[in-house]
């Protein structure tokens, strides 16, 4: 978990990630004084940032260790261990729902989106963010191997291509007026290498990427899909 948290922290600190989070907050609408839930909150950064913007933010994550980290980092925040498909919230109790890099980990993402619809008050906003695991763009001298490794990683996940379906998931759950945006995160430093270690442990291929990192030639681009809709 500590390795994953370190990678998440490094990615979250990138200027493009800061901008993407800020955009997701804008898409939630004016939540000043209103309650929202951040599902899959991890270390709790978004909960803290939303609270700074005047919302009553509640973080939910399935991993008790992540919730422990979030509570330690942001002691003023409200965090709960909980399942994205069975949120510890009353029906119609929140004005905003946010799930960032979560749905690809679920075997039934549609159930989680239905749960988002349940907890949202009428007129509430939902925002889904995440990457499509088949669309990592990696510069390499071995394009065929790279393609194989990216697809192998994708196929190891429960719902690797769910981000391209965010819009339809929301529509199918009864949401309206979807807004779709794509922002590409580009990594050209050691964070890129850390991301690639999350994709594969194939030593020969990683050695090439490590050499690229050493010579300032590493390049990884990840399109991030952002979809917001009205409940």
């Amino acid at each position: 978990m500590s390795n994953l948290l370190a990678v998440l922290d490094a990615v979250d600190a990138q200027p493009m990630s800061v901008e993407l989070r800020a955009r997701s907050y804008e898409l939630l609408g004016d939540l000043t004084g209103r309650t929202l839930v951040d599902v899959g909150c991890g270390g709790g950064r978004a909960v803290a940032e939303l609270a700074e913007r005047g919302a009553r933010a509640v973080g939910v994550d399935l991993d008790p260790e992540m919730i422990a980290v979030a509570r330690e980092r942001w002691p003023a925040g409200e965090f709960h261990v909980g399942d994205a498909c069975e949120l510890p919230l009353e029906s119609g109790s929140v004005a905003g729902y946010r799930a960032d890099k979560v749905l690809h980990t679920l075997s039934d993402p549609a159930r989680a989106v239905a749960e988002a619809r349940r907890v949202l008050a009428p007129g509430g906003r939902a925002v889904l963010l995440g990457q499509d695991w088949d669309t990592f763009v990696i510069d390499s001298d071995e394009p065929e191997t790279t393609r194989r490794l990216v697809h192998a990683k994708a196929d190891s996940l429960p719902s690797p291509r769910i981000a391209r379906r965010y819009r339809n998931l929301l529509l199918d759950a009864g949401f309206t007026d979807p807004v779709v945006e794509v922002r590409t995160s580009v990594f050209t430093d050691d964070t890129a290498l850390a991301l690639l270690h999350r994709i594969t442990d194939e030593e020969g291929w990683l050695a090439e990427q490590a050499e690229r990192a050493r010579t300032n030639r590493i390049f990884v681009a990840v399109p991030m899909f952002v979809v917001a809709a009205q409940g």
Side-chain angles (χ1 to χ4, degrees):
M1 194 275 287
S2 59
N3 184 41
L4 172 60
L5 191 60
V7 173
L8 290 174
D9 283 344
V11 171
D12 282 349
Q14 297 279 332
M16 66 202 77
S17 297
V18 174
E19 180 183 332
L20 184 64
R21 287 199 306 279
R23 179 56 181 152
S24 75
Y25 307 153
E26 290 174 3
L27 288 168
L28 284 167
D30 182 9
L31 294 171
T32 305
R34 304 172 78 185
T35 301
L36 67 87
V37 60
D38 187 54
V39 177
C41 65
R45 185 185 303 273
V47 170
E49 290 177 344
L50 286 161
E52 289 173 357
R53 287 163 170 77
R56 176 187 171 244
V58 179
V60 177
D61 200 288
L62 189 61
D63 187 341
E65 291 185 55
M66 282 291 190
I67 290 296
V69 169
R71 286 171 174 162
E72 181 179 353
R73 289 182 172 183
W74 320 104
E78 181 179 345
F79 299 98
H80 303 280
V81 176
D83 191 320
C85 296
E86 295 181 20
L87 293 172
L89 298 167
E90 297 294 326
S91 297
S93 62
V94 301
Y97 172 101
R98 181 180 182 274
D100 184 356
K101 298 185 287 293
V102 175
L103 297 192
H104 70 267
T105 68
L106 306 178
S107 59
D108 190 0
R111 187 177 166 203
V113 175
E115 182 71 347
R117 180 97 168 128
R118 180 187 72 79
V119 301
L120 275 170
R125 300 277 295 172
V127 177
L128 307 178
L129 304 87
Q131 67 272 50
D132 185 305
W133 285 79
D134 265 345
T135 57
F136 276 61
V137 180
I138 304 166
D139 192 17
S140 171
D141 295 335
E142 304 176 62
E144 292 183 2
T145 300
T146 302
R147 191 178 302 114
R148 173 177 60 81
L149 294 174
V150 168
H151 292 330
K153 175 62 177 180
D155 289 343
S156 74
L157 298 168
S159 300
R161 288 165 285 278
I162 198 61
R164 67 183 71 174
R165 291 188 54 216
Y166 283 168
R167 180 180 184 275
N168 289 341
L169 276 177
L170 289 164
L171 289 172
D172 290 345
F175 287 87
T176 61
D177 302 318
V179 175
V180 181
E181 299 180 1
V182 182
R183 305 288 182 96
T184 301
S185 296
V186 177
F187 302 92
T188 57
D189 57 14
D190 287 344
T191 302
L193 195 58
L195 286 173
L196 298 182
H197 276 275
R198 302 292 303 178
I199 291 177
T200 184
D201 58 3
E202 191 160 312
E203 293 183 2
W205 186 84
L206 286 171
E208 182 215 331
Q209 293 297 322
E211 178 62 16
R212 284 174 171 271
R214 189 187 69 80
T215 58
N216 194 27
R217 296 296 184 273
I218 197 166
F219 182 91
V220 178
V222 184
M224 297 295 294
F225 295 77
V226 186
V227 184
Q230 192 93 4

